[in-house]
Amino acid sequence: MDHARSPKEAVAEQHEEYVYDSTNPLLSLPPDALISILCRVPACDHTELWKSCKAFREILDSDTYASERGATGWAEVTARLVPKEELYNIDHPDGPEFYGDDDSCDPGDKGGGDDEDLTEEKKAEREAKKKRWENKREKRRREDLETYYSDLGHHDESYGYDDITVNIKVDGVLSGEVTLVLIPRPRYGYLFAEASDAHSQELQEVGWTLCNSRGRPKVRSIKEADTDGKARTGGFLHFKMVRIRQAYRPLDSTNIVASAVKAALTVPELKGKWSLASAVSDASVYMKKEEKKRCMELRRELWRNGTDVAPSTAQAEEKKRLDDRRKECDALDARTFLRVGFKQIPEVVGAKKDQPAWLFALPRFLEDPIISHKVALEIHLHEPPDLPSDPTGVDKELLSIVKSASNARSQEMEAIAGIECEAGGFEMKMREEDEKEVTAIEQLQETGTMLAELERDMTEKTQLLEEKASLTEGVRSQLDSVRSDMNDVRRNPNPNNTVFEADAIEQFQNMETMLAGLESDLASSTQMMEERVSLIERTRAQFDAACSGMADMKRKHDTTTFEERCAEKLNEINNMKQGIRDKICKNDDDAKAKVTALVNDRAASIRKSFVLHCSARFLNTALIDFLLQLVPANERTVAINDIDVSGVTPLHCALMGTPELSNADSYYYFVRHLLELGAEKNIVDTFGRTPLGQYRHVICSRHTSTNAYDLAAVNAERGDTEEAWSPIHQRMEGVLMPIGGETDADRDAKVDHQADESSEDE
């Protein structure tokens, strides 16, 4: 007898029908040929294809198929911006964080027992509490969504930036995500700089490098690309992270990642929200999990060995292999963005050793289709120059000695500057201090006079108290005598003298009352007198201590003149400064002895250790001259122009510190000294800046910080104004101007400074 089949049985029969279908002609093909054919099947047909055959199912679920489909470009990539409600649920899986009051109720808490054990009234009360609790949770959820989220994702209410998450699907399957941050750049104000600082270290570096404090682009490549000026304002979009399933990156194919990047940028929610986008290439996008894991393990191994222990040959070879792999993956990620339409920012190449590529895009760059990986490989990537390696061995030890000595010297010089700052106008300060001391002495003398008067008054009151005590004692004696007579009267009453006895008894009682009053007044006066005596004694002790402490001060004022005291103070200041100078000389001599021993006895190299750059950074003229004497005479001019691991010369290093009005002359004369030693003004760093451009860059950064943190008024109170700096800038510009003229990077630094000075947009 037939019976109706259940859905489970129907599916089982269907699977039975397809899984073992050996008549499918495609199953006779080799696996690689079958994968090649199946790769061309549209994603919309994958579900039916998956159901059709067990062999097809295994192929569709395999990483090999995903890799082949991604590499051949048949994979379909889509992006979806994660809405705020979904982000909220991810952030708060248990609902809003809410601490309930007396109306709180956990719907899962049975409290007073099961519902069937409760009366109808209790059930209604519980349901009402649940409803109130759910309403409060929903209200808190709405408040949180309104405050901490926007239509783009997480929102920072203070600085206005949005952290955005975009899900990436490949062939309809969630396969990764892209995270971005959108920072506002209003026409006026410094919100961009503040938001960049608040968000993260990476965005702080990117924001301050590419834009001024108002968010206006300042690097030449971006400004030249921004022909219509639209990139000056509007949203600044930065890629934080791109993560795609490893199977979709076969043989380092950039197809899927490039499609994911473009899809993320073109989601409807971001349309019109940004005018400038930036990205920093990330090697971890293409490095395999085992490679990243090994990098971390090797880093820990080298860290455990310590910086003084050289890595083994195997470790050194593996480190080089992994470093090469990281550089390769950095380049792959950079080319991924190039395929989408991004352009490299050459101005930041070489800013740091192993600096990854920085890239930018304008909205119109995305109008063209994604270029092929082959075409992207033909685009030239600006790479960091081949710079010297970090000092090792004895050269590293030499650099450490010079660096420590320079740091110590700098701190001691700052101590001297602090003493001199405090000593500035010391005569006026001495006069004010002198007047305070005179006032204190006069007040102490007045206090002594008042204290003496109090003690005299206390002596008089003590005498009065003694008289009162004597009077009270006399009344007590009389009362005792009368009491004896009254006792006789009470024992032997006289009937004929009743009136007299009554009067005597009344007088006796009055005397008792008067004696009680006298004794009470005496006790009160005695207690008050004791308290006053104690107070006067404490005051006397404090006064004597103050007199003892001020005895030297009074003696100084009685035996010396104001001019003599000023001379003594000045001598004390000079002795303090001389003591610090003596310490500096001793430390310098010790450092020179160590340096000489390393160079002469252990063949340390002045040039390979880059100690000239270190000394220049601290503006240490004496040390520079000493170190140059340890360089062969025929190499000294070359040594003073050596490039270090950062691609700069000692003259560049000297100009890296932010000058102040108080030490502007020191900067100028040290620069003059380096030029006299043979320093070249035409050598450019990795940014293409000569020392002139480096100076302009530092001044621009200083001015940007002043504006961003609203320090102009504070600086003006100290005389730190543009008028005061104008002659200093002119003098430095004159001495640093390259013989062949300034470079483009030098001009950019000057333009950035002038643009940042302007209080209104161009």
Side-chain angles (χ1 to χ4, degrees):
M1 180 176 174
D2 294 336
H3 64 277
R5 294 179 301 172
S6 68
K8 184 175 181 180
E9 291 172 339
V11 172
E13 289 183 11
Q14 184 182 26
H15 281 183
E16 187 74 19
E17 177 184 353
Y18 290 114
V19 166
Y20 300 106
D21 182 10
S22 59
T23 62
N24 193 323
L26 293 178
L27 295 179
S28 62
L29 295 174
D32 55 345
L34 182 57
I35 289 175
S36 179
I37 292 174
L38 295 181
C39 277
R40 290 159 172 77
V41 177
C44 59
D45 294 332
H46 279 190
T47 300
E48 294 301 322
L49 185 63
W50 189 88
K51 293 179 181 178
S52 65
C53 177
K54 181 178 180 180
F56 289 173
R57 185 183 311 170
E58 292 175 350
I59 290 174
L60 292 176
D61 290 342
S62 68
D63 287 347
T64 304
Y65 175 79
S67 299
E68 183 68 16
R69 189 167 169 83
T72 55
W74 290 102
E76 300 172 21
V77 179
T78 58
R80 180 185 72 95
L81 186 141
V82 181
K84 59 182 178 182
E85 293 81 5
E86 189 173 328
L87 288 174
Y88 185 88
N89 293 335
I90 295 173
D91 297 337
H92 305 85
D94 298 325
E97 296 176 0
F98 186 82
Y99 299 95
D101 52 18
D102 57 326
D103 285 335
S104 64
C105 177
D106 182 356
D109 183 13
K110 295 302 180 182
D114 295 331
D115 289 346
E116 56 269 18
D117 298 333
L118 300 177
T119 63
E120 292 299 326
E121 183 180 356
K122 290 291 184 180
K123 289 181 181 180
E125 182 180 349
R126 168 177 285 186
E127 290 300 322
K129 282 188 175 183
K130 286 183 180 180
K131 188 65 176 177
R132 284 196 297 270
W133 178 240
E134 290 170 359
N135 290 340
K136 285 187 177 184
R137 285 167 60 86
E138 181 59 27
K139 180 181 178 182
R140 173 60 59 85
R141 182 176 183 275
R142 290 195 301 269
E143 291 174 350
D144 289 347
L145 285 172
E146 183 178 350
T147 304
Y148 304 112
Y149 297 82
S150 70
D151 292 337
L152 298 178
H154 294 98
H155 179 72
D156 187 279
E157 191 176 22
S158 300
Y159 298 100
Y161 61 76
D162 296 289
D163 284 303
I164 303 166
T165 302
V166 178
N167 282 343
I168 302 298
K169 287 188 176 182
V170 181
D171 293 332
V173 179
L174 183 63
S175 303
E177 70 176 21
V178 176
T179 56
L180 312 99
V181 57
L182 181 66
I183 297 184
R185 292 185 299 161
R187 186 170 293 276
Y188 303 104
Y190 303 98
L191 180 61
F192 173 78
E194 295 170 357
S196 298
D197 286 350
H199 186 274
S200 62
Q201 183 177 352
E202 177 179 324
L203 198 58
Q204 180 187 48
E205 182 180 4
V206 170
W208 284 82
T209 301
L210 302 185
C211 304
N212 62 19
S213 57
R214 296 178 182 274
R216 312 297 180 257
K218 66 180 183 180
V219 297
R220 179 178 291 270
S221 55
I222 298 179
K223 291 193 292 185
E224 289 179 349
D226 182 30
T227 54
D228 54 9
K230 292 182 179 179
R232 291 176 55 78
T233 56
F236 181 93
L237 189 66
H238 180 69
F239 277 79
K240 295 195 300 181
M241 184 181 69
V242 178
R243 291 293 179 266
I244 300 296
R245 176 184 166 193
Q246 184 171 312
Y248 287 114
R249 296 179 271 116
L251 301 176
D252 297 328
S253 169
T254 58
N255 289 340
I256 299 298
V257 184
S259 299
V261 168
K262 184 160 187 177
L265 282 172
T266 54
V267 292
E269 294 86 351
L270 285 178
K271 185 176 181 180
K273 296 291 177 60
W274 61 276
S275 58
L276 176 62
S278 67
V280 178
S281 63
D282 182 5
S284 62
V285 174
Y286 287 97
M287 290 187 77
K288 298 178 180 178
K289 291 182 179 179
E290 52 270 22
E291 291 174 333
K292 289 186 279 189
K293 180 180 179 181
R294 184 53 193 151
C295 279
M296 296 180 63
E297 291 174 348
L298 182 59
R299 191 179 298 116
R300 283 195 292 266
E301 289 175 11
L302 296 176
W303 179 81
R304 283 195 294 266
N305 291 341
T307 56
D308 298 332
V309 179
S312 65
T313 303
Q315 288 177 327
E317 291 177 353
E318 186 175 19
K319 184 177 184 303
K320 184 180 185 306
R321 180 183 64 80
L322 291 173
D323 286 345
D324 291 341
R325 173 61 178 160
R326 182 186 54 76
K327 292 178 182 178
E328 179 186 359
C329 291
D330 263 331
L332 276 171
D333 196 41
R335 296 192 186 282
T336 298
F337 283 94
L338 292 177
R339 291 187 62 184
V340 176
F342 278 71
K343 299 183 185 299
Q344 189 181 9
I345 305 173
E347 291 85 351
V348 298
V349 174
K352 296 179 181 177
K353 198 169 185 179
D354 300 328
Q355 173 87 5
W358 288 28
L359 307 103
F360 79 98
L362 306 180
R364 60 183 174 83
F365 291 0
L366 305 183
E367 296 173 359
D368 297 328
I370 295 177
I371 64 175
S372 68
H373 183 70
K374 182 178 179 181
V375 173
L377 289 174
E378 296 174 357
I379 300 176
H380 173 67
L381 273 179
H382 298 270
E383 298 180 354
D386 187 15
L387 298 174
S389 302
D390 290 319
T392 58
V394 67
D395 293 333
K396 182 178 180 180
E397 185 178 348
L398 175 58
L399 177 60
S400 176
I401 291 173
V402 172
K403 187 181 294 185
S404 298
S406 299
N407 268 318
R409 193 177 200 279
S410 177
Q411 293 173 4
E412 299 296 350
M413 293 301 293
E414 287 178 2
I416 292 178
I419 293 173
E420 291 177 344
C421 181
E422 292 181 2
F426 85 96
E427 186 173 337
M428 181 181 297
K429 294 178 182 177
M430 280 283 294
R431 190 173 296 281
E432 293 176 356
E433 184 179 344
D434 198 71
E435 291 175 354
K436 290 180 181 179
E437 290 178 352
V438 170
T439 302
I441 292 172
E442 291 175 350
Q443 290 176 348
L444 188 64
Q445 291 173 343
E446 292 175 1
T447 302
T449 302
M450 293 173 60
L451 185 60
E453 292 177 358
L454 286 174
E455 288 175 338
R456 286 195 298 271
D457 181 60
M458 185 57 59
T459 301
E460 295 174 358
K461 289 182 178 179
T462 301
Q463 293 175 353
L464 293 175
L465 184 62
E466 291 175 353
E467 292 175 0
K468 186 181 292 187
S470 177
L471 175 63
T472 302
E473 186 61 31
V475 172
R476 186 182 293 109
S477 298
Q478 293 177 7
L479 186 62
D480 290 341
S481 176
V482 173
R483 183 181 291 108
S484 177
D485 294 340
M486 290 301 301
N487 290 335
D488 292 339
V489 171
R490 290 190 182 96
R491 284 193 298 269
N492 303 305
N494 186 354
N496 297 325
N497 200 13
T498 306
V499 175
F500 173 76
E501 289 178 357
D503 291 341
I505 291 173
E506 182 178 357
Q507 290 178 3
F508 176 73
Q509 292 174 344
N510 290 338
M511 288 181 67
E512 282 184 330
T513 302
M514 181 180 68
L515 179 61
L518 287 173
E519 288 177 338
S520 175
D521 181 54
L522 179 62
S524 176
S525 298
T526 302
Q527 182 181 358
M528 186 181 301
M529 185 63 66
E530 289 175 350
E531 292 175 354
R532 184 167 297 182
V533 168
S534 176
L535 176 62
I536 291 176
E537 289 176 349
R538 290 198 304 271
T539 304
R540 166 60 67 181
Q542 295 173 359
F543 176 74
D544 292 341
C547 288
S548 176
M550 297 185 67
D552 294 338
M553 184 191 300
K554 188 175 185 305
R555 189 180 306 109
K556 177 182 69 175
H557 282 269
D558 292 341
T559 58
T560 61
T561 64
F562 174 73
E563 290 73 15
E564 290 173 341
R565 291 194 291 276
C566 283
E568 182 181 355
K569 182 66 175 179
L570 181 61
N571 185 55
E572 179 184 343
I573 292 173
N574 290 334
N575 288 339
M576 289 175 61
K577 290 163 59 178
Q578 188 58 46
I580 296 176
R581 290 193 184 98
D582 292 342
K583 183 179 178 181
I584 290 174
C585 290
K586 182 181 182 304
N587 291 341
D588 286 350
D589 291 340
D590 292 344
K592 289 177 181 179
K594 293 178 181 178
V595 169
T596 302
L598 284 176
V599 172
N600 294 337
D601 300 340
R602 300 175 60 187
S605 171
I606 297 296
R607 296 180 61 185
K608 292 181 180 179
S609 61
F610 307 117
V611 289
L612 293 175
H613 298 74
C614 177
S615 304
R617 183 65 181 82
F618 287 94
L619 308 181
N620 196 335
T621 304
L623 188 55
I624 280 275
D625 293 341
F626 168 75
L627 294 172
L628 276 176
Q629 294 302 316
L630 298 176
V631 177
N634 60 340
E635 296 181 14
R636 289 173 187 169
T637 303
V638 179
I640 202 65
N641 291 296
D642 275 339
I643 301 295
D644 71 354
V645 295
S646 300
V648 295
T649 66
L651 184 53
H652 282 97
C653 290
L655 297 163
M656 286 181 178
T658 304
E660 301 291 340
L661 279 177
S662 58
N663 63 2
D665 286 342
S666 300
Y667 272 77
Y668 173 74
Y669 289 118
F670 187 80
V671 167
R672 287 284 303 270
H673 184 70
L674 289 181
L675 293 173
E676 291 169 358
L677 292 174
E680 293 287 343
K681 299 186 288 186
N682 288 50
I683 299 177
V684 297
D685 60 11
T686 54
F687 295 101
R689 293 191 295 247
T690 67
L692 172 64
Q694 174 62 44
Y695 174 74
R696 288 175 175 176
H697 173 71
V698 168
I699 296 302
C700 178
S701 298
R702 180 183 185 277
H703 197 277
T704 298
S705 299
T706 299
N707 287 338
Y709 299 110
D710 198 18
L711 300 176
V714 176
N715 291 344
E717 292 178 359
R718 300 185 287 110
D720 192 343
T721 61
E722 287 299 319
E723 291 74 16
W725 277 102
S726 180
I728 296 173
H729 293 331
Q730 292 177 5
R731 183 173 62 174
M732 291 296 290
E733 291 262 342
V735 75
L736 289 172
M737 181 60 67
I739 297 174
E742 57 190 2
T743 64
D744 288 342
D746 294 343
R747 280 188 286 272
D748 288 343
K750 186 173 184 179
V751 169
D752 293 338
H753 176 46
Q754 293 172 343
D756 201 47
E757 284 182 335
S758 176
S759 60
E760 56 187 39
D761 288 326
E762 298 175 2

